[in-house]
Amino acid sequence: MQNDNLKSYLHLHVIVFIWGFTAILGKLISLEALDLVWYRMLFASVIMTFVVLFNKEKIKVPFNVLIGFIVSGIIIAAHWLTFYQAIKVSNVSITLACLSTGAFFASILEPIFYKRKVIWYELLFGLIVVVGLGIIFNVETKYTTGIYLAVTSAFLSALFSVINGKYAKEYYPNVISLYELSSGVFFLSIYLFFAGSFTPAFFALSVNDLIWLFLLSSICTAYAFSASVKVMKFLSPFTVMLTINLEPIYGIILALLIFKDGEEMSPLFYVGALIILATVIANGIVKSYKKVTTN
């Protein structure tokens, strides 16, 4: 079991690196946030359908579980919508750094959903992350709207992780992903239909957008989404959420390399980012120590 935990933790870091790249793709794709999320979930749903059929995985689940999957699908759709909208109105660095507040939200939500006591160091690490966010907020005031959207996205991400953690131990990751992605695209389709958004222009994708969307939907969504559910079998939602805080670090480095001047921030912004990184490392050390002392 300990070996499985280690493999899952390392696998999670690979997934988080891939997620860091999704922000880059979000800026490269010219579509509006809502259109982008719809295409992402649609393509990923199709891919997951083929994966589930190929693996001959059972898709029948109890009705109450199905409702849970649908709710999770709506939450993840809302998470991605606020995430990409934050990128559109600010930039990659701001959006990814603000996602770190997810650890704080997870430290509050997990005890509620799992009916356990609040662990003091989880709450402490979550609060330290908020300090890092506060520094960013104070020095990057021109991106206020982007910060609010990104923090909302972080809350939705934490809520999704906590809810999914309850299902990950009982059902196939691919099946969970298929239901949730399909649910998200279904409800987004209803909204787009009644909003009159399904016009010829909506479906007129450029070659570049199509390539980036396929990469986003296959590697960054279908694979990473399913794999993230799988690692939840061995890791707690809080550990998953706190490790996801490395996404800003990976993403910001990639953004600086790719977009250069458009992503350069003030020195204090990077102080806040370093606080986040230090918190992730501290969490790993504390959890390792706890495991050693309890074995």
Side-chain angles (χ1 to χ4, degrees), residues 1-15 227 231 234-235:
M1 180 61 73
Q2 188 170 0
N3 190 41
D4 288 335
N5 289 346
L6 178 60
K7 288 181 179 178
S8 296
Y9 192 66
L10 294 175
H11 192 186
L12 179 60
H13 277 276
V14 173
I15 297 166
V231 300
F234 305 101
L235 304 174

Side-chain angles (χ1 to χ4, degrees), residues 41-57:
M41 300 192 83
L42 176 67
F43 289 175
S45 297
V46 173
I47 292 170
M48 290 311 305
T49 298
F50 283 109
V51 170
V52 169
L53 291 175
F54 179 80
N55 292 332
K56 297 180 179 178
E57 296 175 349

Side-chain angles (χ1 to χ4, degrees), residues 231-250:
V231 300
M232 288 181 185
K233 292 179 181 289
F234 305 101
L235 304 174
S236 73
F238 180 80
T239 298
V240 172
M241 197 65 236
L242 198 59
T243 305
I244 289 174
N245 287 326
L246 281 174
E247 183 180 338
I249 308 301
Y250 297 146

Side-chain angles (χ1 to χ4, degrees), residues 34-45:
L34 180 57
D35 301 359
L36 191 161
V37 173
W38 185 83
Y39 273 108
R40 178 183 186 177
M41 300 192 83
L42 176 67
F43 289 175
S45 297

Side-chain angles (χ1 to χ4, degrees), residues 71-117:
V71 171
S72 295
I74 294 172
I75 291 172
I76 197 63
H79 158 65
W80 282 334
L81 181 58
T82 50
F83 174 73
Y84 287 115
Q85 186 62 28
I87 291 174
K88 300 294 183 182
V89 300
S90 57
N91 61 25
V92 172
S93 299
I94 286 291
T95 302
L96 289 177
C98 292
L99 279 182
S100 60
T101 54
F104 174 68
F105 292 128
S107 69
I108 296 173
L109 291 171
E110 189 177 335
I112 296 173
F113 278 80
Y114 289 85
K115 295 181 174 60
R116 67 161 174 81
K117 294 182 179 179

Side-chain angles (χ1 to χ4, degrees), residues 34-194:
L34 180 57
D35 301 359
L36 191 161
V37 173
W38 185 83
Y39 273 108
R40 178 183 186 177
M41 300 192 83
L42 176 67
F43 289 175
S45 297
V46 173
I47 292 170
M48 290 311 305
T49 298
F50 283 109
V51 170
V52 169
L53 291 175
F54 179 80
N55 292 332
K56 297 180 179 178
E57 296 175 349
K58 296 180 180 179
I59 63 172
K60 186 177 181 180
V61 297
F63 180 73
N64 63 317
V65 174
L66 176 61
I67 296 300
F69 288 164
I70 292 173
V71 171
S72 295
I74 294 172
I75 291 172
I76 197 63
H79 158 65
W80 282 334
L81 181 58
T82 50
F83 174 73
Y84 287 115
Q85 186 62 28
I87 291 174
K88 300 294 183 182
V89 300
S90 57
N91 61 25
V92 172
S93 299
I94 286 291
T95 302
L96 289 177
C98 292
L99 279 182
S100 60
T101 54
F104 174 68
F105 292 128
S107 69
I108 296 173
L109 291 171
E110 189 177 335
I112 296 173
F113 278 80
Y114 289 85
K115 295 181 174 60
R116 67 161 174 81
K117 294 182 179 179
V118 175
I119 299 175
W120 69 268
Y121 65 82
E122 288 187 353
L123 189 58
L124 175 63
F125 289 143
L127 290 172
I128 292 173
V129 164
V130 173
V131 171
L133 175 67
I135 293 173
I136 293 170
F137 196 101
N138 287 329
V139 298
E140 302 297 343
T141 54
K142 64 180 179 179
Y143 295 124
T144 301
T145 302
I147 291 172
Y148 285 138
L149 284 167
V151 171
T152 301
S153 182
F155 171 78
L156 293 168
S157 178
L159 181 60
F160 172 77
S161 294
V162 171
I163 293 175
N164 244 23
K166 298 173 73 70
Y167 299 121
K169 294 178 172 59
E170 298 182 38
Y171 300 96
Y172 292 113
N174 292 332
V175 173
I176 296 174
S177 301
L178 174 59
Y179 275 117
E180 291 176 344
L181 291 168
S182 299
S183 299
V185 76
F186 175 76
F187 283 98
L188 286 179
S189 296
I190 293 175
Y191 173 80
L192 288 167
F193 176 78
F194 285 104

